[in-house]
Structures are given as structure tokens and as C-alpha cells.
Amino acid sequence: MSQNTKSFGRTELAQCYFPNIQPMSAWLKLKSLLLEYPDLAPLAHLHRRTFLPSEVNKIYQSLGQP
């Protein structure tokens, strides 16, 4: 994956994966997906609302790019 990935707000990234649903619903759906992957589950429980570029790359590696 590209090392030039930018950081994303969690809702912003969720809407990339699920563009046709409301932002909060998109986040909840992405969160449930993250919980299905042991390597990604900790990202679902972060106390911040932004994914770092390295975290976005990790998500892309598991889920594919939206």
C-alpha cells in the first residue's frame, strides 16, 4: 500500500466505504467490520476521532481501499 496515505476522520473514512448511508451509520458499520479483524479491533475502540496514516494503511491492507 501507499506510504503516502493521509489521516482520516473516522466518519470520513467510513463514508468512503459506505457512501450511501448517513455518516453515523457508516461509522457504526465500519466499526463492526473492524471488530471482525483481530488486528483492527483496537482501532474500533480508539478515544480519538482520527485514524493516523499508518492506521489507514492497516485498514486498507485488510479491507482493501474503498
Side-chain angles (χ1 to χ4, degrees):
M1 288 293 142
S2 169
Q3 295 302 332
N4 297 336
T5 305
K6 67 175 192 151
S7 61
F8 275 91
R10 64 185 190 188
T11 305
E12 178 187 14
L13 183 60
Q15 287 189 284
C16 291
Y17 281 97
F18 308 104
N20 298 318
I21 60 178
Q22 293 294 315
M24 181 55 72
S25 297
W27 162 240
L28 293 174
K29 196 165 182 170
L30 179 59
K31 183 177 180 178
S32 71
L33 256 182
L34 295 176
L35 291 170
E36 292 179 19
Y37 292 81
D39 290 350
L40 300 180
L43 298 177
H45 299 294
L46 292 176
H47 292 286
R48 57 184 152 78
R49 294 176 181 250
T50 305
F51 291 121
L52 302 174
S54 60
E55 295 165 339
V56 174
N57 278 330
K58 195 173 188 179
I59 292 168
Y60 285 176
Q61 288 172 0
S62 295
L63 304 180
Q65 285 191 276

